[in-house]
Amino acid sequence: MDSQTSQSSQASPSPHTFQVDLRGLVDLLSHHLYSSPKVYLRELLQNAVDAITARRAEQPDAPARVRLHAQEGTLRVEDSGVGLTEADVHTLLATIGRSSKRAGALQDGLQEVRSDFLGQFGIGLLACFVVAERIRVVSRSARTPEAAPVEWTASDDGSYTVRTLPHEARPEPGTTVHLTARPGAGEWLTPERVLTLARDFGSLLPYDVRVGDEAVTDLPAPWDRPYPSPATRRVALARHCHDLFGFTPLDSIELTVPLAGIRGVAYVLPSAVSPATRATHRVHLKGMLLTERAEQLLPDWAFFVRCVLDTDSLRPTASRESLYEDETLAAVREALGERIRSWLTGLAAGDPERLAAFLSVHHLGVKSLARHDKDMLRTMLPWLPFETTDGQLSLEEFAQRHPVVHFTRTVEEYRQVAPIASAQGVGVVNGGYTYDSDLVEALPSVRPGTVVAELDTDTVTAHLDAVDPADELALSGFLAAARARLDPLGCDVVLRAFRPLSVPALHLDDRSARHEQARADAEARADDLWAGILGSLRGSAPRARLVLNHLNPLIRRISSLGDPELIGTATESLYGQALLMAQRPLRPADSALLNRAFMGLLEWATNGEEGR
């Protein structure tokens, strides 16, 4: 008895088959796998094209036709493909996820044509339930022509029937799929919608595809067609871009990479876009549109183009609506980036006018590339524009004019010093814009002998003329009153002579001074514990400076005042005006100072008027 019990406990359990809730599965497909019900037509086209491909692998001269007929909530799709027998129907259509292409290849030794197939027959038909409540398939096998045609009919409740038909029901090999729309989905089966979707998905398919009498395919692709001249080609591609993307490109770039099975074109956007914008591209897989939103196809720096291409090497995701990130995609991305690099260097060498037009719009994209590519930086050096104290110039021209290329890291720093530096003959590049400071610092690596230095307050002050010691001594009382008023704001006051004469005062600081000022502000607002911690972080960084222009008539008049309070109010006004001229963000203390100075000057002016 014990032995029997032991044998019974070791016996394998009886196998069971998963029960699939078809309606739940269709809901999963429509809401989580596919982005839109329109993919049903792509799946039908894929099945038809794959069936033709399978038949032509064995019968190269077999007809290659796909016909779609839409009418009153129904759709009929006929193909001249390999067809199915009754056994195929039971094996393939009743088993979700089974691939007729894979099974056929393994059974008949056709492994060599597997790469020509686009999808899975079972999953493709299942996707049709997104728009259909009933699917009927009538098929006749080309491999077994003596076999009777077979009919498979399924409903969206998961039930199906299979039966054989007389030979006259399907005289020729191939398959016909009939769809009946589910309630509320009839719009997806209208002739107009079917034609639009078929052309969108199937314009590059290699076979004769028609909706009624309307041709769907448009081959060869625009980038593969012969043209009388480069100018004619450029015009034709511009028209194609406008029809496809809705804009007329600045130029088009050939993206053909034969070794990677890539054929296509990139269109240069006519207006600037943010580098953070995720560019999306149209990708066809073996002629079938895979996605209109491929994001990983080009390097990040190539955000100024939109491309359309056909590939037979990239791998689609499960929904076949995007690309799978793998080594092949990474290699293709690098190859396509190289094509765009070559286009840029070609323009620099042979068509400077077109390059200038391109850079006037998309210099950010090229600067992004040049940061990591010294050859590109060297090539673009005479062309890339930078804001400088000499106007908009290339780094090459600016370096020729100035023995030292000074630059600032922020726009605010540049605005502080640009007018003064220009008047003193100091050349400064505004490095505050995206990528600019990186490129200036990289200049010596591509232009040997160039000296690059970050501009700081000491350098600016050193280029300003010192005031005669006797004159400065005579103004010591004025300077002491001015310094006393600005000392709580962490700002020193110095006297210099500089041009232009119209500038009464210049506010100078650098990042270390601003960091120290921010630390001091935080310490003043903190409780005892944090104030102690922040106090221990106090650095020896130089403080900000308000440089008064001894040559300015207003400064001369203010320095002659005898009232320390009025000198302090005037100094606060000069400080606030210098901050505003530099377009610096104001702290609460700065705003309060401006208000106080304004009210003080009004009070002084009105009191002075009453006294006269």
Side-chain angles (χ1 to χ4, degrees):
M1 185 66 177
D2 292 341
S3 175
Q4 291 177 352
T5 302
S6 175
Q7 291 176 1
S8 175
S9 65
Q10 295 176 4
S12 301
S14 299
H16 298 279
T17 302
F18 281 108
Q19 299 299 309
V20 176
D21 178 359
L22 186 56
R23 288 183 176 174
L25 189 55
V26 169
D27 181 73
L28 182 66
L29 290 175
S30 60
H31 289 94
H32 300 283
L33 183 63
Y34 297 127
S35 61
S36 166
K38 68 180 182 180
V39 298
Y40 88 92
L41 194 68
R42 182 195 64 193
E43 300 293 344
L44 288 174
L45 287 176
Q46 284 185 348
N47 285 339
V49 169
D50 287 344
I52 294 172
T53 300
R55 183 177 180 183
R56 284 204 153 186
E58 303 175 33
Q59 305 172 19
D61 297 330
R65 298 186 305 270
V66 181
R67 298 291 183 264
L68 297 91
H69 304 276
Q71 184 178 10
E72 297 180 359
T74 64
L75 175 64
R76 185 174 81 255
V77 181
E78 302 175 351
D79 69 65
S80 57
V82 69
L84 302 171
T85 64
E86 182 179 4
D88 294 333
V89 167
H90 283 290
T91 301
L92 303 173
L93 295 184
T95 305
I96 301 303
R98 179 71 60 84
S99 170
S100 62
K101 278 72 68 173
R102 178 169 61 249
L106 292 174
Q107 293 169 7
D108 300 299
L110 299 178
Q111 290 91 335
E112 68 274 11
V113 303
R114 287 176 60 187
S115 63
D116 295 330
F117 296 117
L118 299 171
Q120 290 185 320
F121 191 76
I123 289 292
L125 275 182
L126 182 65
C128 295
F129 279 119
V130 172
V131 298
E133 67 175 0
R134 183 170 176 270
I135 301 175
R136 176 170 167 259
V137 178
V138 177
S139 186
R140 182 169 182 176
S141 175
R143 293 173 178 164
T144 315
E146 67 279 5
V150 62
E151 177 191 71
W152 177 84
T153 304
S155 300
D156 60 0
D157 61 3
S159 63
Y160 71 92
T161 61
V162 179
R163 65 183 181 122
T164 57
L165 302 176
H167 283 279
E168 56 268 18
R170 177 82 198 193
E172 298 294 330
T175 300
T176 303
V177 179
H178 302 261
L179 300 187
T180 302
R182 64 192 311 171
E187 61 174 305
W188 294 103
L189 303 187
T190 62
E192 297 78 12
R193 178 63 69 91
V194 169
L195 179 60
T196 299
L197 293 178
R199 284 179 171 167
D200 196 35
F201 284 120
S203 62
L204 301 184
L205 290 174
Y207 304 133
D208 179 16
V209 182
R210 296 177 182 271
V211 176
D213 295 327
E214 298 286 340
V216 168
T217 52
D218 185 21
L219 296 176
W223 51 84
D224 287 334
R225 297 172 189 170
Y227 296 97
S229 66
T232 305
R233 174 184 175 82
R234 193 175 300 121
V235 170
L237 290 178
R239 187 183 306 113
H240 174 251
C241 176
H242 188 274
D243 294 341
L244 200 61
F245 293 115
F247 65 85
T248 300
L250 286 178
D251 207 349
S252 55
I253 307 170
E254 186 75 35
L255 292 184
T256 299
V257 186
L259 292 178
I262 300 289
R263 301 163 304 282
V265 63
Y267 294 115
V268 181
L269 293 167
S271 56
V273 294
S274 167
T277 301
R278 297 295 295 178
T280 56
H281 312 284
R282 287 177 64 95
V283 177
H284 295 254
L285 179 61
K286 304 181 182 70
M288 181 72 70
L289 178 65
L290 181 71
T291 179
E292 301 172 281
R293 301 185 300 276
E295 294 184 350
Q296 313 97 336
L297 194 62
L298 297 181
D300 290 340
W301 56 261
F303 54 83
F304 51 84
V305 299
R306 297 292 180 270
C307 70
V308 53
L309 53 83
D310 187 24
T311 175
D312 56 22
S313 63
L314 298 180
R315 178 183 169 191
T317 58
S319 65
R320 295 197 291 278
E321 294 187 281
S322 59
L323 296 171
Y324 189 83
E325 184 68 49
D326 57 11
E327 293 181 358
T328 301
L329 179 57
V332 166
R333 183 162 49 235
E334 179 62 30
L336 296 181
E338 185 57 40
R339 293 295 183 274
I340 299 175
R341 284 190 188 92
S342 299
W343 172 77
L344 284 169
T345 55
L347 288 185
D351 201 336
E353 290 185 2
R354 283 171 63 201
L355 178 63
F358 166 75
L359 289 178
S360 67
V361 179
H362 295 299
H363 55 276
L364 272 182
V366 181
K367 286 181 177 180
S368 175
L369 170 60
R371 282 190 310 155
H372 308 291
D373 189 326
K374 289 186 178 180
D375 290 337
M376 181 57 63
L377 177 58
R378 187 179 294 106
T379 300
M380 293 291 118
L381 204 56
W383 308 102
L384 287 174
F386 288 79
E387 182 180 358
T388 77
T389 49
D390 293 352
Q392 286 286 118
L393 292 178
S394 69
L395 286 181
E396 175 67 31
E397 186 174 357
F398 187 82
Q400 290 174 358
R401 294 185 182 186
H402 298 278
V404 178
V405 179
H406 288 100
F407 73 98
T408 62
R409 291 193 181 277
T410 68
V411 174
E412 289 79 9
E413 290 172 355
Y414 178 80
R415 287 169 177 165
Q416 287 183 74
V417 304
I420 309 304
S422 179
Q424 306 305 313
V426 179
V428 184
V429 178
N430 184 356
Y433 296 115
T434 307
Y435 312 131
D436 283 10
S437 60
D438 292 340
L439 293 177
V440 174
E441 289 183 295
L443 189 57
S445 67
V446 296
R447 195 178 188 274
T450 303
V451 179
V452 172
E454 183 176 354
L455 189 68
D456 56 23
T457 56
D458 290 335
T459 303
V460 176
T461 306
H463 280 82
L464 305 180
D465 294 334
V467 178
D468 184 88
D471 291 340
E472 188 164 2
L473 181 63
L475 297 176
S476 59
F478 160 72
L479 292 174
R483 287 165 180 158
R485 184 59 64 93
L486 295 188
D487 184 68
L489 296 174
C491 183
D492 292 331
V493 177
V494 297
L495 188 66
R496 293 288 186 272
F498 57 86
R499 298 180 185 277
L501 300 181
S502 59
V503 178
L506 175 66
H507 182 271
L508 293 177
D509 66 358
D510 53 24
R511 280 170 296 156
S512 58
R514 288 196 294 275
H515 290 163
E516 174 60 22
Q517 190 175 62
R519 187 210 58 77
D521 290 343
E523 181 182 354
R525 296 192 303 270
D527 57 27
D528 292 342
L529 173 61
W530 283 107
I533 295 174
L534 290 170
S536 68
L537 299 176
R538 182 182 297 112
S540 59
R543 305 208 307 168
R545 301 172 191 173
L546 182 67
V547 184
L548 302 180
N549 188 359
H550 187 56
L551 302 179
N552 181 267
L554 177 61
I555 297 297
R556 287 181 175 274
R557 289 196 296 271
I558 293 175
S559 64
S560 66
L561 295 174
D563 184 355
E565 185 64 28
L566 186 55
I567 289 175
T569 300
T571 302
E572 287 179 336
S573 299
L574 291 170
Y575 174 82
Q577 188 261 356
L579 285 180
L580 294 175
M581 290 297 293
Q583 301 184 38
R584 291 287 308 280
L586 299 180
R587 301 171 299 163
D590 298 330
S591 299
L593 175 145
L594 281 172
N595 290 330
R596 184 171 65 247
F598 178 71
M599 298 303 296
L601 290 176
L602 280 180
E603 183 177 352
W604 175 83
T606 54
N607 288 339
E609 185 65 28
E610 291 174 356
R612 285 195 286 271

